[in-house]
Amino acid sequence: MSTSVQAPEQAGRAYHHGDLRSALVCAAVARVEEVGAEHVSLRAVAAEVGVSPSAAYHHFADKDALLGEVAAQGLHQLVIAVSAEVEAIPAGSREAAMLRFRAAGQAYVSFALSHPQLFRVAFSPYCLEQPGVPTTDDGSVPVLSALLNDLVNTGGMNAAVRDDSEDVFVATLHGLATLALQGMIPADRVPQLLAKVEQLIGVNP
Amino acid sequence: MSTSVQAPEQAGRAYHHGDLRSALVCAAVARVEEVGAEHVSLRAVAAEVGVSPSAAYHHFADKDALLGEVAAQGLHQLVIAVSAEVEAIPAGSREAAMLRFRAAGQAYVSFALSHPQLFRVAFSPYCLEQPGVPTTDDGSVPVLSALLNDLVNTGGMNAAVRDDSEDVFVATLHGLATLALQGMIPADRVPQLLAKVEQLIGVNP
DNA sequence: CGCTCATCTGAACATCATCAAGTTTCATGG
DNA sequence: CCATGAAACTTGATGATGTTCAGATGAGCG
């Protein structure tokens, strides 16, 4: 459940060198998930870590920069979550490729619904101010790109269809997740809609 | 460009009855578009209208409620913008239905790209706290629902395909708009992708 | 003319982001 | 082993912010 950002080794210890930067990001992520990015205060985050508010300014230019890191973390965790579900299914056959594809879609939406605030901040303006975030060329979610390659290679998808399908698929997935989060699409219809997407996009059973 | 929310009739006039509530929402919308919802201050909005900060509390429970109204306004303006583009094309023939369908998609994305901050706040948690916002049954964007009906009626789309296609189409549209806004899909690829979506969703030329 | 009520103001409070200056801690080289 | 300097953190302060509340103000009604 936790990721690359670690809490300090020993609690209660005086910090100074125990990688405060990561600890702050970690606490900020937690706080964002609790109350949403718009209600997070720098001071509360610092207090949770047991440090004075100004300490944060030795690691981040301002509050927005901290939230930018949270956004990057959110994107990262999303990729991790999707990858984990996909890689839990051994690759190889065409059937496997399809199962992995399906798992990716479900994992994407599941992540959004189980970490709503983190998902939201990951696609907020905060992550725009952030360098090193996966952009277009990188593919918004590289895992998905790889999955489509697998599908094509194992014959589960027509190669000619692939290129445009990638962005469309990613967009649909993201839209479903967002609208479901917003309550504009009932969450229980999502699996059915995902199946429909598969069919439309040209995944051959 | 402006919508149902009006500025007071005469500038410089003492308010007191000139519909402060609407004026505040209007100013808040402007402020959101300038600096983004996360950087809007209640005080600045009040000042822009020429009123003391506390006056706002006679019309809104708190700042979040004001931003909730802004979110609702954003959704409303989105619907208006899409409707306007669609209705600029006279209905009737099958070809017209298709053109209208295409116009709707383009209008949706255009609105997102030209009013990024307003679009974002419209699909933020703020509008969840808001009653009377179009939800599932209403259809997230009712215009789109009507458009699909037209397509089916004029033979531009198979009726059997329609039902699931609606949510998928809306989701894809929304995903495209969101990711384009985020820079995760190049804006200049959007028209091409919209065409692809049309084809996938089963619009018959 | 005077009453009343919703509307708005003023001043106040707690909290917030941010910064300048001081203080602690640590690693390092003599 | 200890002085030295840089980096990490704290203290204290400043101005802006959200929010509250007691009162002023003005409109409409009797």
Side-chain angles (χ1 to χ4, degrees):
Chain A
M1 194 166 296
S2 75
T3 55
S4 57
V5 171
Q6 303 290 333
E9 309 77 29
Q10 297 292 340
R13 251 331 180 16
Y15 266 105
H16 221 290
H17 155 235
D19 198 4
L20 178 70
R21 183 185 170 89
S22 299
L24 284 172
V25 173
C26 188
V29 166
R31 211 94 197 81
V32 164
E33 294 214 69
E34 279 176 46
V35 299
E38 45 275 324
H39 295 122
V40 168
S41 86
L42 214 229
R43 297 173 98 97
V45 171
E48 199 162 304
V49 173
V51 101
S52 95
S54 11
Y57 287 85
H58 288 259
H59 300 274
F60 304 96
D62 55 9
K63 185 188 171 184
D64 283 10
L66 173 58
L67 287 176
E69 279 287 314
V70 171
Q73 259 291 310
L75 260 190
H76 189 230
Q77 291 195 19
L78 170 62
V79 172
I80 300 271
V82 171
S83 301
E85 285 299 314
V86 166
E87 279 156 21
I89 303 172
S93 69
R94 177 163 102 165
E95 225 164 67
M98 288 189 41
L99 286 176
R100 295 180 123 215
F101 185 80
R102 186 162 308 174
Q106 285 170 346
Y108 195 98
V109 175
S110 289
F111 183 89
L113 293 178
S114 59
H115 304 277
Q117 305 284 10
L118 193 54
F119 181 83
R120 261 196 257 260
V121 79
F123 293 94
S124 77
Y126 289 120
C127 98
L128 291 181
E129 305 158 14
Q130 206 56 14
V133 152
T135 61
T136 312
D137 299 287
D138 199 2
S140 57
V141 180
V143 204
L144 299 179
S145 189
L147 281 175
L148 289 173
N149 284 337
D150 277 1
L151 273 175
V152 171
N153 291 338
T154 57
M157 172 181 266
N158 188 334
V161 159
R162 202 226 109 113
D163 282 344
D164 278 337
S165 290
E166 173 169 349
D167 284 333
V168 171
F169 174 61
V170 172
T172 310
L173 211 52
H174 188 74
L176 279 178
T178 306
L179 294 180
L181 212 59
Q182 210 67 11
M184 287 169 169
I185 288 179
D188 54 354
R189 283 202 63 202
V190 171
Q192 172 191 354
L193 292 173
L194 278 175
K196 180 80 180 176
V197 172
E198 261 182 46
Q199 172 199 325
L200 290 178
I201 223 115
V203 178
N204 312 314
Chain B
M1 196 166 294
S2 74
T3 55
S4 57
V5 172
Q6 304 290 335
E9 309 75 30
Q10 298 294 338
R13 249 337 183 9
Y15 266 107
H16 219 289
H17 154 234
D19 200 3
L20 179 70
R21 183 188 171 88
S22 299
L24 284 172
V25 173
C26 186
V29 166
R31 210 94 198 80
V32 163
E33 295 213 67
E34 280 175 45
V35 299
E38 44 275 323
H39 296 123
V40 168
S41 86
L42 213 227
R43 295 173 101 102
V45 171
E48 199 161 303
V49 173
V51 101
S52 93
S54 12
Y57 287 85
H58 288 260
H59 302 274
F60 304 96
D62 54 10
K63 184 189 173 184
D64 283 10
L66 173 58
L67 288 176
E69 279 288 315
V70 171
Q73 259 292 309
L75 259 189
H76 190 230
Q77 290 195 19
L78 171 62
V79 172
I80 300 270
V82 171
S83 301
E85 286 298 313
V86 166
E87 279 156 21
I89 303 172
S93 68
R94 178 165 99 165
E95 224 164 67
M98 287 188 44
L99 285 176
R100 294 180 125 217
F101 184 78
R102 186 162 309 173
Q106 284 170 348
Y108 195 97
V109 175
S110 289
F111 183 88
L113 293 179
S114 59
H115 304 276
Q117 305 286 10
L118 193 54
F119 182 83
R120 261 194 259 261
V121 79
F123 293 93
S124 75
Y126 288 120
C127 99
L128 290 181
E129 306 158 12
Q130 207 54 14
V133 154
T135 60
T136 312
D137 298 288
D138 199 3
S140 57
V141 180
V143 203
L144 299 178
S145 189
L147 281 175
L148 288 173
N149 285 336
D150 277 1
L151 273 175
V152 171
N153 291 338
T154 58
M157 172 181 266
N158 188 335
V161 159
R162 202 225 109 111
D163 282 345
D164 278 339
S165 290
E166 172 169 351
D167 283 333
V168 171
F169 175 62
V170 172
T172 309
L173 212 51
H174 188 74
L176 278 178
T178 305
L179 294 180
L181 213 58
Q182 209 67 11
M184 287 170 168
I185 285 179
D188 54 352
R189 284 202 64 203
V190 170
Q192 172 191 353
L193 292 172
L194 278 176
K196 179 80 181 178
V197 172
E198 261 181 45
Q199 171 199 326
L200 290 179
I201 224 114
V203 178
N204 312 315

